Amino acid sequence: MSAGSRKESGSDKNRKMSRRDLFKGVFNKVRGNKAPERESSGLDPDMAYADRLIRQGEYEKAAHLYSRRLKKEPRHLEAMRSMGYCHFMQGDYSRAREAWEKLLGFRPRDNFALLYTGLACARQGDVHEALENWKLYYDIRKPAVQRAINLFLARQERGEELDAREMADSVQEALEKQKDV
């Protein structure tokens, strides 16, 4: 599913979400949405352990636990988000995109998934799809990241030819700076 078709499907009211994910989404909005490397996915001991594995850099083991959770609860949005992050950190951008595309099917405006799907696209050399995802991304709490993305969007509008690697490096550098803030 491309970013453009997600924009159109965002108003679909037939999508179902578990009460747990609804509550967690509202709670995250109130306290500020944090990235998977810093956040716990819930009370489930396996999920808490998987989150700890991410913080320790054990992405393969964590992805396995998230995958098991998704077999039990296929609409577990936090598990989708975190599993995609694990694949991304291992350099498996295709599998990361699959996880986030599925998540975006349920939550078309999920900032984390939009940001990192764009990064994965850029890492794979797909400038157009990276920018399509980033057009939908907006997070005022991450001004350095937003500024980097806006710069590339403006350059695209001017008709400049963009380098996917430069885009990915710049946005990831902004993410690292933003973590320090």
Side-chain angles (χ1 to χ4, degrees):
M1 173 185 290
S2 72
S5 62
R6 274 195 304 280
K7 199 184 296 186
E8 295 165 9
S9 69
S11 63
D12 188 355
K13 294 182 181 180
N14 294 329
R15 299 196 190 284
K16 293 185 180 179
M17 181 184 295
S18 72
R19 281 182 261 145
R20 178 190 172 282
D21 284 330
L22 177 64
F23 175 74
K24 188 143 177 80
V26 170
F27 184 72
N28 281 339
K29 285 284 186 196
V30 170
R31 73 175 179 154
N33 198 9
K34 294 186 179 179
E37 70 270 16
R38 296 185 184 174
E39 178 182 337
S40 176
S41 296
L43 301 176
D44 181 287
D46 283 345
M47 293 298 289
Y49 180 58
D51 295 338
R52 196 167 37 252
L53 288 171
I54 282 181
R55 289 188 294 274
Q56 296 169 354
E58 298 284 336
Y59 303 113
E60 188 174 339
K61 290 178 185 176
H64 176 72
L65 290 173
Y66 294 124
S67 178
R68 278 193 356 204
R69 169 51 58 199
L70 287 167
K71 285 179 184 169
K72 292 178 188 174
E73 190 179 340
R75 293 176 183 246
H76 195 293
L77 302 181
E78 291 295 323
M80 286 180 216
R81 185 179 292 119
S82 297
M83 189 167 69
Y85 182 77
C86 290
H87 292 313
F88 180 85
M89 294 304 289
Q90 294 176 84
D92 190 346
Y93 305 122
S94 295
R95 288 180 68 194
R97 284 176 68 175
E98 284 175 25
W100 293 322
E101 292 289 339
K102 187 174 179 181
L103 170 64
L104 289 165
F106 295 111
R107 265 179 120 182
R109 300 298 287 210
D110 186 280
N111 272 332
F112 184 87
L114 289 168
L115 174 63
Y116 275 91
T117 300
L119 271 171
C121 292
R123 288 286 174 215
Q124 291 179 309
D126 190 346
V127 171
H128 176 73
E129 195 61 31
L131 292 170
E132 287 300 309
N133 279 280
W134 289 340
K135 282 178 185 175
L136 300 174
Y137 173 83
Y138 180 76
D139 192 345
I140 196 166
R141 296 168 303 200
K142 296 188 183 315
V145 174
Q146 194 67 58
R147 189 172 27 253
I149 288 171
N150 289 345
L151 176 65
F152 289 113
L153 292 172
R155 289 175 61 191
Q156 177 203 33
E157 284 180 19
R158 282 197 313 239
E160 287 184 34
E161 187 153 334
L162 300 172
D163 178 73
R165 184 184 183 123
E166 175 193 351
M167 289 170 42
D169 289 345
S170 178
V171 172
Q172 281 195 271
E173 184 180 310
L175 270 167
E176 289 302 314
K177 283 181 188 176
Q178 200 66 54
K179 284 181 186 177
D180 297 335
V181 173

